[in-house]
Every structure is written in structure tokens, then in C-alpha cells.
Amino acid sequence: MLLKISNVLIIIILLSVGICTSTLVANVSEECMGNTNSNFLFPSCFSGEVMYVYDVYSYAKTLDSGCPQIQTSNVNVSEGCCAFHNASEDCGMRYYGPNGDLTTYSDCSGSVSCQKPIGWNDTIKVCNQSVFLPQTNYMQLNYHCIEEIQICSICSCTVSGTSLYIWNGEYPNAVNDCSLTSGCSCSIKSSGGSPIQLIAFDIRFKMNLTSGDCAQRLHIQDGKSEFDIACDDHNAFKKRTVYISTSNDIKLRLDNSLEGSNGYFWIQVKAFESIDTLTLHCGKENATYSCNDNFTIISENITEFVLQDRINKVAESGNGVGIGTIIGVVVAIIVLVVLALIAYRLWKRYKDKNTKVDPKPDPETDTDDDEFFNNNDQTPITSRAPEAVLIRMNTNI
Ligand SMILES: *[C@@H]1O[C@H](CO)[C@@H](O)[C@H](O)[C@H]1NC(C)=O
Ligand SMILES: *[C@@H]1O[C@H](CO)[C@@H](O)[C@H](O)[C@H]1NC(C)=O
Ligand SMILES: *[C@@H]1O[C@H](CO)[C@@H](O)[C@H](O)[C@H]1NC(C)=O
Ligand SMILES: *[C@@H]1O[C@H](CO)[C@@H](O)[C@H](O)[C@H]1NC(C)=O
Ligand SMILES: *[C@@H]1O[C@H](CO)[C@@H](O)[C@H](O)[C@H]1NC(C)=O
Ligand SMILES: *[C@@H]1O[C@H](CO)[C@@H](O)[C@H](O)[C@H]1NC(C)=O
Ligand SMILES: *[C@@H]1O[C@H](CO)[C@@H](O)[C@H](O)[C@H]1NC(C)=O
Ligand SMILES: *[C@@H]1O[C@H](CO)[C@@H](O)[C@H](O)[C@H]1NC(C)=O
Ligand SMILES: *[C@@H]1O[C@H](CO)[C@@H](O)[C@H](O)[C@H]1NC(C)=O
């Protein structure tokens, strides 16, 4: 059977996103329910590295796999139960933890190793119940190992490289008191003039609970324009591009008006679509906003559209060189192939219409094209059933 064109498109988009954003190696830890020796995930990195946990999934095997769904004493679970195989054998969803507490992510990120119990979820909303177990039976934790020497504390650091990171120096603990941290800044320069891309790893800024205003943010000065990454950019540990600069020299400043320890951030900094070297200089400067000062959030949500606009501008100005050019060519080829596919389908349809005597459209074969040409389905891709599978393709590159 032919794949649906819309599915092909989704896969292509995810593949391109994967090529563009994931230069980091994806490490995986998988563990099962029912195995009496190990009901825990044990992700770890080598010394001198810390982990960033970005996607945790809970998966169910098929009903006829016979895999146990709950912790079962004296049962040796077969290896096949505990690892992702393919979309027909595994169905699952992103794992958020009890009450969405995200502790599987937050307890492990920033550490060299950790140990987390396996959790589970009901599959009724996502998986075909006549094929898959009603509860997930194993978990998969996806993480990166980040070299500590590439990570800069926003209050004190100087480092150069092609892929760098900035976090609050206390990470995995919370940002220190406003008097010590507000005003800490990094200047970020790219050597070859490439735009700078900021990717959110973990954004958990806090509100002032009395006023209800966002009281922590990263302020971005990019030439004459200002932006910020603030409370509304909370990302639940999903990697996400939050900014692409217009200049090759930006300044990132922490504004923190909260007393005591509050909030966390960790971002990746790299040249956009190029392998330029970046240099970071970070240190404490006089606070623009001191303790209990109010500030107004500038960019409530840097929408996908704004980012897309930046990406287009970069493409137009031909700033992306080296690897960027290669990616451009690859994407162009993919687009051509897709156009050819569409043209072929249209031609075939046209031909069928002109040769078929039966005037009634066949609903079985007609839906494919209609879904593509008239897509009223507003469901975000991530909430569609085989979410985890598609995302996996992205990270496996
Ligand atoms: C992470 O994955 C890479 C590639 O599979 C592997 O070489 C490396 O040893 C892994 N790191 C750890 C800490 O397991
Ligand atoms: C499970 O496997 C271990 C060794 O692999 C064996 O000693 C034990 O008897 C097995 N238990 C059961 C219930 O099969
Ligand atoms: C998934 O794996 C099973 C067993 O290896 C195989 O029979 C099946 O064809 C695979 N399905 C897909 C979609 O690759
Ligand atoms: C279970 O899945 C639903 C979505 O289907 C999600 O909202 C919920 O947070 C998940 N539960 C856990 C424990 O991750
Ligand atoms: C669920 O799986 C069964 C058996 O493979 C199939 O007949 C049925 O159409 C599936 N249901 C849905 C909603 O996909
Ligand atoms: C919250 O804001 C109010 C007034 O805007 C201020 O008095 C209070 O100290 C702030 N709370 C914290 C924890 O900074
Ligand atoms: C910071 O403030 C102090 C005192 O207000 C002032 O002397 C100093 O020059 C300021 N530093 C900068 C970099 O503006
Ligand atoms: C901060 O904002 C709150 C309400 O949003 C207001 O009551 C307070 O006076 C403001 N404080 C300052 C110093 O502007
Ligand atoms: C932010 O997003 C919300 C809903 O997604 C929208 O209503 C609002 O106008 C956006 N704000 C800005 C400043 O773009």
C-alpha cells in the first residue's frame, strides 16, 4: 500500500528538523515492568559529562506478547518485552509523571547518572485496545550526555566552541537570590557571521505569586531588537528552538526579581545552520532590574511564525554556509520529490476521472488526496496516535 501523502510529509518535516537540530548523540535507557531485578531506569553519562533528559516515553507491547504489565514477583521477563521494536509492536506516549510533575526529567537532568522507578500510563486514548496492552509495560528514556566544559554559568564563564550551553550556575538547583543573580549576562558572538540559534533544554521560570507577573526571564539584546525567554516559554523538557538572531553578536541577560531560590534554565547555543565557532563571555553585571522590581515581558510568545520568518530570512540572505548549504540541498531535493509525487497523484487522478465510467468517487482511495489538499484537521502532530514513533525517527538520525 502507498503511504498517505500527509504522513510522508510529516515524516519529511520531522527528518529535516532532526537534521537541522540534532547534532548531539541520542542515548537511550529502556526498562520493563515485571522484572523483579530492575524496575528502575538507570541512565548514565561518563564522568565529566551531565545528562539532559529530553523525552521519556511509556510504551505498551501487543496483547499477544504476554508481557507483564505490573511488577510481578518471580517472573523473568523476556528481553523482547523491554525495548522498542517498531510501530506495529509498540504503542505509547510521552511520559509526564504523576500529576505531570516531570520528576523523571528534572531529577536526572544535570546529573552524571540517576535511578528512576518505571511508571506507566493507560493506553486507551492512544492505542488500539484490540491490539495493545491496556497499560504500558516499559519505559524509554532519551537523553544526551553534555560535556561540562561546554556549559557556561550565566554569572561567570568564558568558553568557545560550535555547540555550547548556558544554564543558571546552580543547576540542577534553582537560580539564587535576585541580589546575586539579576544582571548576570553572556555576550555571544559567532565568528563567521552566522545567526545564533537558542534551543530551550529546560525553561522553568517563576512568577511573583503576589502580583501574578512573571518575575524571571532571559532578556535578549539582538542589535536594536529585544526579546525574552520567560515564564510562558516553559517547555516541559521538550527541546525547542526559542530564538534565532538577526545579528552575529547578541547579549543574553538574566532578570530575576525574586528573593530566595527560584526557577531553572538550561539552553543550547549554536550557530544557525552552520558550524561557526561561538564565543561566550559571561559575568555578573549591575542589575537592570533589582529585587522586587517589576518588568514587562516583551515577547509573550515568540511564535513559530516569527521563527519561520527568521529561518526564511536566513535562507534568503544565504548566510548558512557549509553544513547549511548541504541541508538546503537535501531539503530542496526532498521538496522536489514531494512535488513530483503530488504531480503524479494529480495526474493519476485526472487520468482516472477521464477513464472511469463510474462517476461515484471511491471513498477508500479518495481520502488520501483529500486529506492532503483539504486538511481541516487542526490536531497538533504531537497529539496524533503514533507520536512517539515519529519523534523517535527524528532523534534516531
Ligand atoms: C551514548 O551513545 C553513544 C552512541 O551510541 C555511545 O558511544 C556512548 O557510549 C553512549 N554514552 C553512554 C554514557 O552510554
Ligand atoms: C530467572 O532467571 C534466573 C537466571 O537468569 C534464574 O536463576 C531464575 O530461576 C529464573 N526465575 C524464574 C521464575 O524463571
Ligand atoms: C515489525 O516487526 C515485526 C517482527 O519483527 C515484523 O513482522 C513487522 O513486519 C514489522 N512491522 C513494521 C511496520 O515494520
Ligand atoms: C498519560 O497520557 C496522557 C495523554 O494521553 C497524559 O496527559 C498524561 O500526563 C500521561 N500520564 C503520565 C503519568 O505521564
Ligand atoms: C484495531 O485493530 C483491529 C485488529 O487489527 C482492527 O480490525 C481495527 O480496525 C483497529 N481499530 C482501529 C480503530 O484502528
Ligand atoms: C512580588 O511583588 C510584590 C510587589 O510587586 C513585592 O512586594 C514582593 O516582594 C514580590 N515577591 C517576591 C517573592 O519577590
Ligand atoms: C555598577 O554600579 C556601581 C555603583 O552604582 C558603579 O560604580 C559601576 O560603575 C557600575 N558598573 C557598571 C558596569 O555599570
Ligand atoms: C509592580 O506591579 C504591581 C502590580 O502589578 C504594583 O502594585 C506595584 O506598585 C508595582 N511596583 C513597582 C515598583 O512599580
Ligand atoms: C500568545 O499566544 C496566545 C495564544 O496562543 C495569543 O492569544 C496571544 O495573542 C499571543 N501573544 C502575543 C504577544 O503574540
Side-chain angles (χ1 to χ4, degrees), residues 128-131:
N128 186 334
Q129 296 294 289
S130 51
V131 179

Side-chain angles (χ1 to χ4, degrees), residues 241-315:
T241 296
V242 280
Y243 194 71
I244 295 166
S245 72
T246 51
S247 67
N248 61 342
D249 181 2
I250 65 174
K251 185 150 184 174
L252 200 67
R253 182 187 75 218
L254 176 65
D255 291 331
N256 176 23
S257 67
L258 293 177
E259 287 166 348
S261 289
N262 293 281
Y264 310 80
F265 71 91
W266 187 358
I267 60 169
Q268 183 186 8
V269 183
K270 60 204 273 285
F272 181 63
E273 289 205 352
S274 109
I275 47 172
D276 274 3
T277 298
L278 299 182
T279 304
L280 307 187
H281 287 287
C282 307
K284 175 83 173 88
E285 294 182 11
N286 286 348
T288 306
Y289 297 96
S290 310
C291 296
N292 299 325
D293 276 354
N294 293 346
F295 51 81
T296 310
I297 299 304
I298 305 160
S299 40
E300 248 181 31
N301 28 16
I302 302 175
T303 60
E304 302 300 318
F305 299 106
V306 173
L307 283 177
Q308 193 53 51
D309 193 48
R310 286 284 159 84
I311 292 167
N312 294 344
K313 280 208 183 102
V314 171

Side-chain angles (χ1 to χ4, degrees), residues 95-227:
Y95 184 75
Y96 293 89
N99 308 314
D101 65 13
L102 296 169
T103 48
T104 311
Y105 304 82
S106 60
D107 288 353
C108 293
S109 291
S111 304
V112 65
S113 66
C114 74
Q115 170 179 345
K116 293 302 290 179
I118 316 277
W120 57 272
N121 207 342
D122 293 320
T123 62
I124 190 156
K125 283 194 191 136
V126 177
C127 311
N128 186 334
Q129 296 294 289
S130 51
V131 179
F132 293 101
L133 294 167
Q135 289 174 358
T136 62
N137 71 296
Y138 73 98
M139 271 175 83
Q140 181 193 68
L141 182 147
N142 296 272
Y143 64 107
H144 293 309
C145 290
I146 312 282
E147 283 186 47
E148 281 177 287
I149 51 165
Q150 296 179 333
I151 309 174
C152 239
S153 156
I154 197 162
C155 290
S156 162
C157 172
T158 296
V159 70
S160 296
T162 51
S163 174
L164 301 171
Y165 310 85
I166 301 174
W167 66 12
N168 58 289
E170 306 82 5
Y171 201 95
N173 296 317
V175 176
N176 220 329
D177 190 86
C178 41
S179 62
L180 300 169
T181 54
S182 194
C184 286
S185 306
C186 295
S187 77
I188 309 169
K189 286 192 177 71
S190 68
S191 60
S194 160
I196 296 159
Q197 179 178 16
L198 305 182
I199 298 167
F201 273 17
D202 175 18
I203 303 292
R204 283 176 288 159
F205 285 132
K206 292 287 191 297
M207 309 263 200
N208 175 326
L209 293 176
T210 318
S211 65
D213 295 329
C214 182
Q216 300 183 307
R217 70 167 173 193
L218 286 169
H219 173 275
I220 303 165
Q221 189 74 50
D222 177 9
K224 287 205 171 98
S225 39
E226 291 177 88
F227 278 93

Side-chain angles (χ1 to χ4, degrees), residues 2 36 45 83 101 104 124 159 203 229 242 356 377 391:
L2 267 173
T36 46
C45 294
D101 65 13
T104 311
I124 190 156
V159 70
I203 303 292
I229 300 165
V242 280
K356 243 188 223 164
D377 179 8
I391 303 277

